[in-house]
């Protein structure tokens, strides 16, 4: 998603000077009253702000090859996912269980990474649909269950069994999350591998050329 602070900063940098210019023109050039000049200045500033916002949004959508409808759909799902990840974060850190701390940190790291990458490049959302519509909900639900069971003052055999099964399921889900992350970055990996192959080919070609040149000198 677009960086809100950066967007606001750019819009303000454009809007404030425009509004000030309109006020000076209204007050000094057209000899309007202070209040009238201020009203026109505010109206002009609001118009410039909206135009700047529309231009920035249009450029952002064009850059990421998205329609406004797609962008609204993705943004809605990312906002909902952020709330789920915040809930997951609270649950994970309220569990006092040392053996699962690494797993919990991995889960949080992966979920945040996928969400962060999708925010930066919204089109990646389509490669992370399993994460957003299935795996994230499952891991939040299981973590909540594990937190509830682990906080019981008295552990019974049934609770121990449930905790064990939940841990095993979370392990499987962590692997699924890793696959989600891999799928999200798969295009980057393909591109990187292609660039590596091109670089290797260029180096081989250069070395072959040097070998031929050296052979000619020896002759």
């Amino acid at each position: 998603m677009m960086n809100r602070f950066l967007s606001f900063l750019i819009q303000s940098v454009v809007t404030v000077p425009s509004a000030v210019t309109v006020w000076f023109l209204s007050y000094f050039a057209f000899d309007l009253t202070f209040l009238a000049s201020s009203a026109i200045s505010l109206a002009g500033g609001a118009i410039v702000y909206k135009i700047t916002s529309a231009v920035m949004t249009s450029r952002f959508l064009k850059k990421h090859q998205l329609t406004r409808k797609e962008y609204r759909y993705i943004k809605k799902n990312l906002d909902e996912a952020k709330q789920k990840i915040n809930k997951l974060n609270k649950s994970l850190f309220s569990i006092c269980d040392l053996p699962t701390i690494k797993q919990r940190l991995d889960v949080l790291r992966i979920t945040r990474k996928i969400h962060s990458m999708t925010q930066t490049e919204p089109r990646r959302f389509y490669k992370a649909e399993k994460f957003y519509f299935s795996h994230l909900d499952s891991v939040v639900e299981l973590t909540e269950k594990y937190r509830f069971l682990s906080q019981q003052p008295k552990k019974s055999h049934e609770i121990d069994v449930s905790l064990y099964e939940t841990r095993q399921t979370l392990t499987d889900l962590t692997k699924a999350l890793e696959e989600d992350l891999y799928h999200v970055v798969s295009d980057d990996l393909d591109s990187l591998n292609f660039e590596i192959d091109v670089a290797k080919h260029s180096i081989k070609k250069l070395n072959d050329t040097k070998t031929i040149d050296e052979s000619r000198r020896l002759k």
Side-chain angles (χ1 to χ4, degrees), residues 30 57 64 70 72 76 86 95-96 122 126-127 141 167 200:
F30 295 98
T57 300
H64 295 286
E70 286 178 312
R72 286 195 295 270
K76 175 178 174 293
N86 287 338
I95 296 172
C96 299
Y126 296 113
K127 296 184 77 66
E141 183 179 341
R167 278 198 300 270
K200 285 180 178 178

Side-chain angles (χ1 to χ4, degrees), residues 146-157:
Y146 191 86
R147 179 187 64 81
F148 173 76
L149 291 173
S150 65
Q151 289 179 346
Q152 296 308 304
K154 290 185 179 180
K155 302 288 193 301
S156 65
H157 175 69

Side-chain angles (χ1 to χ4, degrees), residues 187-205:
D187 288 344
D188 302 77
L189 294 174
D190 290 340
S191 177
L192 178 60
N193 289 332
F194 175 76
E195 289 175 10
I196 290 172
D197 289 340
V198 170
K200 285 180 178 178
H201 178 73
S202 299
I203 293 169
K204 184 179 182 301
K205 189 175 180 181

Side-chain angles (χ1 to χ4, degrees), residues 69-122:
K69 185 178 179 180
E70 286 178 312
Y71 179 69
R72 286 195 295 270
Y73 170 74
I74 292 171
K75 188 176 185 304
K76 175 178 174 293
N77 281 287
L78 290 187
D79 289 344
E80 290 176 358
K82 185 177 181 180
Q83 294 177 2
K84 294 174 186 176
I85 292 172
N86 287 338
K87 185 178 180 181
L88 177 65
N89 181 43
K90 290 178 181 178
S91 294
L92 288 171
F93 282 101
S94 64
I95 296 172
C96 299
D97 184 17
L98 289 177
T100 63
I101 188 167
K102 183 183 182 302
Q103 183 185 56
R104 285 181 278 140
L105 290 174
D106 285 342
V107 166
L108 191 59
R109 176 181 58 81
I110 295 169
T111 52
R112 282 179 172 176
K113 182 65 176 177
I114 294 174
H115 189 258
S116 173
M117 290 180 71
T118 315
Q119 278 191 310
T120 305
E121 298 178 56

Side-chain angles (χ1 to χ4, degrees), residues 3-214:
N3 187 304
R4 291 182 180 179
F5 175 74
L6 183 61
S7 299
F8 174 76
L9 187 63
I10 293 172
Q11 288 169 263
S12 299
V13 167
V14 174
T15 301
V16 173
S18 300
V20 172
T21 301
V22 169
W23 189 90
F24 273 100
L25 286 173
S26 301
Y27 189 75
F28 293 105
F30 295 98
D31 200 27
L32 297 178
T33 63
F34 179 87
L35 287 177
S37 298
S38 299
I40 293 172
S41 173
L42 289 173
I47 292 170
V48 171
Y49 189 88
K50 287 184 178 180
I51 291 173
T52 305
S53 176
V55 170
M56 289 179 67
T57 300
S58 178
R59 287 182 176 179
F60 178 83
L61 295 177
K62 186 177 180 181
K63 177 183 176 183
H64 295 286
Q65 299 177 325
L66 294 169
T67 64
R68 290 182 183 274
K69 185 178 179 180
E70 286 178 312
Y71 179 69
R72 286 195 295 270
Y73 170 74
I74 292 171
K75 188 176 185 304
K76 175 178 174 293
N77 281 287
L78 290 187
D79 289 344
E80 290 176 358
K82 185 177 181 180
Q83 294 177 2
K84 294 174 186 176
I85 292 172
N86 287 338
K87 185 178 180 181
L88 177 65
N89 181 43
K90 290 178 181 178
S91 294
L92 288 171
F93 282 101
S94 64
I95 296 172
C96 299
D97 184 17
L98 289 177
T100 63
I101 188 167
K102 183 183 182 302
Q103 183 185 56
R104 285 181 278 140
L105 290 174
D106 285 342
V107 166
L108 191 59
R109 176 181 58 81
I110 295 169
T111 52
R112 282 179 172 176
K113 182 65 176 177
I114 294 174
H115 189 258
S116 173
M117 290 180 71
T118 315
Q119 278 191 310
T120 305
E121 298 178 56
R123 196 159 189 80
R124 290 184 190 265
F125 175 82
Y126 296 113
K127 296 184 77 66
E129 287 183 309
K130 280 187 179 179
F131 168 76
Y132 285 108
F133 296 134
S134 176
H135 297 158
L136 179 58
D137 289 326
S138 296
V139 78
V140 170
E141 183 179 341
L142 275 172
T143 304
E144 284 281 292
K145 178 185 176 182
Y146 191 86
R147 179 187 64 81
F148 173 76
L149 291 173
S150 65
Q151 289 179 346
Q152 296 308 304
K154 290 185 179 180
K155 302 288 193 301
S156 65
H157 175 69
E158 288 76 13
I159 290 178
D160 288 337
V161 170
S162 293
L163 283 169
Y164 174 78
E165 290 175 349
T166 305
R167 278 198 300 270
Q168 293 301 109
T169 308
L170 280 171
T171 298
D172 294 336
L173 260 178
T174 304
K175 292 176 182 177
L177 293 174
E178 289 172 349
E179 289 176 6
D180 290 337
L181 178 58
Y182 179 82
H183 190 58
V184 170
V185 300
S186 58
D187 288 344
D188 302 77
L189 294 174
D190 290 340
S191 177
L192 178 60
N193 289 332
F194 175 76
E195 289 175 10
I196 290 172
D197 289 340
V198 170
K200 285 180 178 178
H201 178 73
S202 299
I203 293 169
K204 184 179 182 301
K205 189 175 180 181
L206 181 62
N207 289 336
D208 290 344
T209 303
K210 286 181 178 179
T211 303
I212 292 169
D213 289 342
E214 287 176 1

